[in-house]
Every structure is written in C-alpha cells, then in structure tokens.
C-alpha cells in the first residue's frame, strides 16, 4: 500500500477559473494562467498519476501546451474562441478523471485504539521510549513494524504472529543475561536446539520466585516474567498451532501492548543501575 494525496483534486478545481476569463486583457490573467500551469504540471509529473490516471495526464498535458502558447503571446488577448476551447479541454479532463478515479481504490486507515496512523504505519519505533529503540536488532524492529501495520489493516492474527516473533527474540537475549546461559543447547546428536518460549517463560518465573524467596532484588523480572508467561500460554503457543483460528481485535491489541511493554521493561532492566542480571548488556550488543 502507499499514501495517496487527494488534495490534487481540490487543486485541479482551481483551473476552472480559466473559463471565467472575459474577452480582452487583464493583469490578473497571466497569474491565473501561471498558477494553473503549476498545478497541472504537478499533476502530470507525479509518477503514480502517470500510472493510475494515464488518460487524465494526457488530457492535462494538452491543456498545458495550450496555456503555454497563451503565455508566449506578445499581447495576451483572451477571445471567446479561447475560452470556448479551454472549457472543452477542462470538461474533457473532468470526464477522464471521473472515469479513471473510479478504477483507483482508495482505503481510509484510521487510528486504532489510541495508536496513531502515522506511528503505526510510518514510525513504529516511536512507540518505544527513545532509549529503548537503539538496543533493538533489525529483526525485532522489522517484526514490530509488521505487527503495527497489520494492526492498522485489521489483520489481527498476523499482529500476534509478528509480535510474538519480536518478543521471543528479545526474551532469548534476556534469558541469556539473566542466567548466563545461551538459549541454544546441544541435543543428543550435538545439534543446537533453542529452548522453547514456554520453557524460557517458566524458567524466568522460577528465577523470580527463587530471588523473591531469598529476598534478592529482581529488578523488572517481577513484571517481565508474568507478562512473558501470559503471552506464551495465551497467544504464542496457540498461534504456532491450529488451536486459535484467528485473534480478535481485542486480543491482537492486548498482544501488541504487552509486547511493547515486555520489550521496554527488558531493555530497561538490562541497562539499569545496579542490575540484578548475571551480566549486563555490552556496548553495541542488541536484543
């Protein structure tokens, strides 16, 4: 999809004033013709208009040629024949626009439950605090961006899919920081196997309860562990299998909100002073 600026329709309406010129000369006419030329040139030079509205662009180019001839006259003298021709050209442009615009599909995208269109469509990283985004890997950013766009387009199950991909990537790194162990482990054939998201979620919960019983500081783990476990049980595991046919709008927004929250809390935890983590995030290291 792409952005469509419909303002050109309003601007094109300006050229209708050309047929209202009276026979003779007026100091107003050169400026009117010049402004009309500017609007028409902007219209015909747009690559999308050339693609979507070819006949309208051709007609507009014809009007441009005739207006340029008028401006190049030594004495600009408007005759009834000139205004008649301009009326014919502009009516032809109107007919072409009416025909071709009916074939171009325009979709209105609206804000989604407090999330603005610009943020979701053009700048999903603005959903994070300025000190969070620099620590996110390209993989995480891409999937957050995909989830944000899917939310705008009402593709709710896809929101959950991309949100879970991004949060699982961040959680793996968090698990490594918390435990000092890498998420992949060797199976009996010495192949690298990643711990399941559910397994990591449970280990994080166990770690939190262990630290709590020992009255140790647990940082943001008290917030992160329950969110991760809830996301895993409610959305991640079912989304990986046919148990959930589709997510509802409410479920997708909940998943998206919790994903942003979990990622933000994890990155903040990794960079906090006096962190409880086994090791802190190294300079330049990404989630």
């Amino acid at each position: 999809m792409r952005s469509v600026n419909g303002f050109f329709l309003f601007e094109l309406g300006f050229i209708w004033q050309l047929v209202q010129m009276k026979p003779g000369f007026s100091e107003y006419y050169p400026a009117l013709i010049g402004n009309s030329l500017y609007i028409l040139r902007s219209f015909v030079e747009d690559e999308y208009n050339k693609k979507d509205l070819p006949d309208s662009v051709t007609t507009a180019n014809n009007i441009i040629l005739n207006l340029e001839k008028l401006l190049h006259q030594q004495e600009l003298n408007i005759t009834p024949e000139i205004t008649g021709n301009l009326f014919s050209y502009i009516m032809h442009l109107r007919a072409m626009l009416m025909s071709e615009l009916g074939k171009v599909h325009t979709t209105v995208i609206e804000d989604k439950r407090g999330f603005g269109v610009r943020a979701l469509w053009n700048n999903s990283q603005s959903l994070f605090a300025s000190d969070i985004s620099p620590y996110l890997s390209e993989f995480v950013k891409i999937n957050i961006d995909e989830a944000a766009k899917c939310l705008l387009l009402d593709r709710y199950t896809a929101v959950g899919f991309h949100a879970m991909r991004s949060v699982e990537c961040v959680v793996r790194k968090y698990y490594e920081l918390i435990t000092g162990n890498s998420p992949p482990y060797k199976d009996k054939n010495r192949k690298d196997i990643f711990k399941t998201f559910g397994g990591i979620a449970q280990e994080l919960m166990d770690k939190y309860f262990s630290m709590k019983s020992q009255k140790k500081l647990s940082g943001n783990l008290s917030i992160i562990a329950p969110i991760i476990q809830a996301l895993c049980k409610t959305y991640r595991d079912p989304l990986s299998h046919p148990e959930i046919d589709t997510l509802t709008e409410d479920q997708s927004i909940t998943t998206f909100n919790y994903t942003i929250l979990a990622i933000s809390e994890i990155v903040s935890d990794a960079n906090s002073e006096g962190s409880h983590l086994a090791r802190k995030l190294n300079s330049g290291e990404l989630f």
Side-chain angles (χ1 to χ4, degrees):
M1 294 185 66
R2 58 180 172 84
S3 298
V4 177
N5 181 6
F7 186 67
F8 77 82
L9 293 174
F10 173 81
E11 289 182 308
L12 285 174
F14 178 87
I15 68 173
W16 187 256
Q17 297 180 59
L18 292 170
V19 303
Q20 298 174 347
M21 294 188 294
K22 305 296 182 184
F25 173 78
S26 170
E27 294 180 354
Y28 167 71
Y29 291 164
L32 173 61
I33 294 172
N35 287 338
S36 298
L37 278 170
Y38 174 78
I39 293 169
L40 288 166
R41 285 170 182 152
S42 298
F43 172 71
V44 301
E45 290 169 3
D46 186 284
E47 293 300 321
Y48 288 121
N49 290 339
K50 291 177 183 178
K51 175 179 177 293
D52 297 333
L53 312 168
D55 293 336
S56 299
V57 167
T58 298
T59 305
N61 271 320
N62 189 34
I63 299 175
I64 289 172
L65 291 175
N66 283 274
L67 292 179
E68 288 175 339
K69 288 179 183 178
L70 283 179
L71 280 184
H72 290 152
Q73 290 180 359
Q74 290 186 344
E75 294 184 6
L76 181 58
N77 184 38
I78 302 301
T79 65
E81 180 183 7
I82 289 174
T83 55
N85 287 338
L86 287 174
F87 178 82
S88 176
Y89 296 147
I90 293 172
M91 288 300 292
H92 187 203
L93 176 60
R94 179 177 181 272
M96 292 299 98
L97 284 170
M98 184 181 298
S99 172
E100 292 185 318
L101 284 172
K103 303 173 186 177
V104 178
H105 297 284
T106 302
T107 301
V108 177
I109 301 178
E110 300 176 315
D111 291 353
K112 183 70 68 173
R113 300 276 192 88
F115 290 111
V117 171
R118 289 186 178 181
L120 291 176
W121 191 258
N122 295 319
N123 188 19
S124 62
Q125 293 308 298
S126 67
L127 301 173
F128 294 101
S130 59
D131 59 345
I132 301 296
S133 188
Y135 291 95
L136 302 181
S137 65
E138 197 63 23
F139 177 88
V140 173
K141 290 179 179 178
I142 288 172
N143 278 278
I144 288 293
D145 199 48
E146 290 296 308
K149 285 182 169 64
C150 288
L151 183 58
L152 269 183
L153 299 177
D154 299 340
R155 313 317 299 166
Y156 299 129
T157 305
V159 173
F161 173 78
H162 287 291
M164 289 298 94
R165 278 164 63 86
S166 62
V167 78
E168 183 165 351
C169 182
V170 173
V171 166
R172 284 179 178 180
K173 173 61 71 173
Y174 185 62
Y175 171 83
E176 183 179 342
L177 296 175
I178 283 278
T179 64
N181 300 322
S182 178
Y185 64 93
K186 300 290 184 181
D187 67 4
K188 63 181 181 180
N189 297 318
R190 305 303 295 168
K191 285 187 176 180
D192 282 338
I193 303 294
F194 273 94
K195 287 182 176 290
T196 65
F197 192 45
I200 291 176
Q202 185 59 56
E203 285 192 46
L204 290 177
M205 283 298 298
D206 293 341
K207 182 73 173 179
Y208 165 63
F209 286 125
S210 173
M211 295 180 75
K212 183 179 179 182
S213 66
Q214 297 174 39
K215 297 183 179 180
K216 292 182 179 180
L217 294 177
S218 60
N220 293 350
L221 186 58
S222 60
I223 301 172
I224 296 165
I227 292 176
I228 297 305
Q229 193 167 60
L231 283 173
C232 178
K233 289 184 177 180
T234 310
Y235 301 118
R236 195 281 185 191
D237 288 348
L239 279 171
S240 301
H241 307 285
E243 281 82 357
I244 291 182
D245 291 331
T246 58
L247 289 186
T248 65
E249 179 178 0
D250 286 341
Q251 288 172 330
S252 71
I253 291 174
T254 297
T255 306
F256 191 72
N257 275 324
Y258 279 178
T259 294
I260 299 296
L261 175 60
I263 291 174
S264 298
E265 293 292 341
I266 286 172
V267 176
S268 295
D269 210 16
N271 289 299
S272 62
E273 291 296 328
S275 175
H276 64 290
L277 300 176
R279 67 177 182 85
K280 294 189 64 174
L281 203 63
N282 296 322
S283 177
E285 194 172 0
L286 301 177
F287 280 95

